[in-house]
Amino acid sequence: MAIVVNFEDERGKKAKSFDALVALVKDDLQKVNHAIVDRMHSPVEMIPQLAGHIIAAGGKRLRPVLTLASAKLAGHTGERHIKLAACVEFIHTATLLHDDVVDESELRRGQASANALFGNKPSVLVGDFLFSRSFELMVEDGSLSVLAILSRASSVIAEGEVLQLITANDTETSEDSYLEVIRSKTAALFAAACRIGAVVADRPKVEEEALESYGLNLGIAFQLIDDVLDYSAKQAVLGKTVGDDFREGKITLPVILAFRRGGDEERAFWRRCLEELDQSDEDIGQAIKLMEKHGSLAATIARARHYGEIARDALGIFPDSPVKQAMIDVIDFCIDRAY
């Protein structure tokens, strides 16, 4: 039985669960978007042109929305979270620019990637510019705690990228090593984005840690589902091609589980395709069949649900409110993308 069900029938329900959170922070998000446009400005024409290309390409602004929502949940009534949410988006965008260069990606959200249009060197340098802009915003905020949280997240993300390079094309990669990569590469920024919401509200450390746990575990669940989607027909709906990770030899949890659960002949298949990158057009179909045979896609979704439950429990210390419920609904939104 296929893992992915009718996406068209489910899409409206799932989009609504994220839209509810966006609606609660709509005015603040508009201010964040203005701050992003303002801070992208540079007399060097290529910088706003290239940065604007990737930022305008879409995306749900999930990370800055989480900063805004976390600040609202923690009771913040000022404006500090606006610039910091823009800072989070700049960090995220910079990592996307660098990722696409490293991965030699030609598409980003269904459109030509920045490196495909402008070249690798400009993409790397504009990514550096956005990182620098993010640190300017941190300094303007003036909080050493915020600076510590976001600068640490930036370094951890870089560590995650290097870890992914080390494990690339290595079918012996363990689940623990893979999880360390996604904790660093993806979940660290989710965690930081949420924690600073409590910091700007001057809340106790226990609330900072609760929001950090929510973000960290939501980020892990989010990436697990992304890894499932690479082997899903739904990729076409999302503007992506099926099997990009496979073609690049990336070792993700669906691969790790299928490799560990398969026999010698199947493991030889994975080594040929992912270590040697000796692939035919039919191999992606065979990879999906092996994943379905051994339940590795379903198992990855189950892992995502586990981390989603940890994220849900982390919000338990906060009183019931519309923003808390919307943040809980976002957990389901992230996981239900697999269906």
Side-chain angles (χ1 to χ4, degrees), residues 281-292:
D281 292 341
E282 293 75 29
D283 284 335
I284 180 60
Q286 176 64 12
I288 294 171
K289 286 179 182 178
L290 292 177
M291 288 176 175
E292 292 178 344

Side-chain angles (χ1 to χ4, degrees), residues 137-277:
L137 289 165
M138 293 179 219
V139 171
E140 287 176 20
D141 180 73
S143 166
L144 285 178
S145 294
V146 166
L147 183 59
I149 291 165
L150 290 175
S151 61
R152 176 60 183 158
S154 297
S155 64
V156 169
I157 291 167
E159 289 172 346
E161 293 289 352
V162 176
L163 278 173
Q164 187 172 58
L165 283 178
I166 293 170
T167 59
N169 311 106
D170 182 3
T171 55
E172 299 295 334
T173 299
S174 69
E175 183 172 344
D176 286 344
S177 295
Y178 160 82
L179 287 172
E180 183 59 30
V181 168
I182 66 171
R183 279 192 191 98
S184 302
K185 185 172 179 274
T186 301
L189 188 56
F190 277 76
C194 293
R195 182 163 191 157
I196 59 176
V199 173
V200 298
D202 197 26
R203 300 304 300 164
K205 189 174 181 180
V206 65
E207 292 189 17
E208 287 186 33
E209 292 173 345
L211 282 168
E212 181 178 51
S213 176
Y214 167 81
L216 180 73
N217 288 287
L218 177 63
I220 293 172
F222 183 90
Q223 187 58 55
L224 286 166
I225 297 302
D226 262 10
D227 292 343
V228 167
L229 284 171
D230 193 65
Y231 295 93
S232 162
K234 196 197 300 184
Q235 288 290 75
V237 181
L238 300 175
K240 303 176 184 178
T241 53
V242 176
D244 281 346
D245 288 351
F246 179 79
R247 280 181 281 275
E248 293 168 12
K250 285 186 179 178
I251 309 299
T252 58
L253 189 57
V255 170
I256 291 169
L257 296 178
F259 180 83
R260 295 292 175 95
R261 295 173 179 182
D264 290 344
E265 185 176 336
E266 292 175 5
R267 284 194 286 272
F269 164 83
W270 290 112
R271 290 190 184 100
R272 172 176 62 80
C273 291
L274 302 180
E275 293 185 1
E276 302 169 23
L277 293 181

Side-chain angles (χ1 to χ4, degrees), residues 46 49-50 52-54 57 100 105-108 111-120 122-123:
M46 182 179 282
Q49 188 179 5
L50 192 153
H53 169 77
I54 188 168
D100 285 346
S105 299
E106 295 185 357
L107 291 176
R108 165 65 60 182
Q111 300 182 27
S113 62
N115 50 298
L117 288 176
F118 298 92
N120 287 339
S123 293

